Amino acid sequence: MAGRSRPLRAPRRKPNPLTARGIEQVDWKDAALLRTFVSDRGKIRARRVTGLTRQQQRQVATAIRNAREMALLPYPNAGR
C-alpha cells in the first residue's frame, strides 16, 4: 500500500464578488464596496483572497487609492 497516492482534488474557485453583484466598473466613490477589499489594518487584500480577476484587482486598487486621496478610506497604519 505504500507509494499509492490519492487523486488530487482541484481547488474550488472563489466566487467573484463583483460579478455576483453585477458590477462592471468600480467607482472610487463607493466606499462601502471598497471596504470589503481592504483589511482591518488598511491594506489592499490580495487577489487570491478577494477572488477578483487581474483587471478587476487593478481597478479596485486604483479606486482604493483615489478614495484614500479623497479621505473616504484610511491609509495603512505604519505600525506606530
Side-chain angles (χ1 to χ4, degrees):
M1 292 283 168
R4 184 184 286 185
S5 63
R6 287 186 274 156
L8 294 175
R9 269 191 309 168
R12 190 173 295 211
R13 286 292 305 168
K14 267 187 184 265
N16 190 320
L18 293 182
T19 53
R21 295 179 185 176
I23 298 171
E24 293 182 16
Q25 278 298 111
V26 181
D27 189 16
W28 61 268
K29 293 171 264 183
D30 191 358
L33 173 70
L34 294 178
R35 278 185 202 280
T36 62
F37 301 109
V38 177
S39 72
D40 57 340
R41 293 183 171 223
K43 295 183 177 185
I44 300 173
R45 293 188 193 273
R47 223 184 110 218
R48 62 184 169 80
V49 176
T50 60
L52 298 174
T53 64
R54 290 180 189 170
Q55 293 83 6
Q56 288 172 332
Q57 181 70 20
R58 256 185 244 121
Q59 277 185 359
V60 166
T62 304
I64 289 173
R65 286 191 219 111
N66 289 339
R68 284 176 176 163
E69 280 290 315
M70 298 299 167
L72 296 176
L73 291 176
Y75 281 96
N77 283 342
R80 296 180 209 178

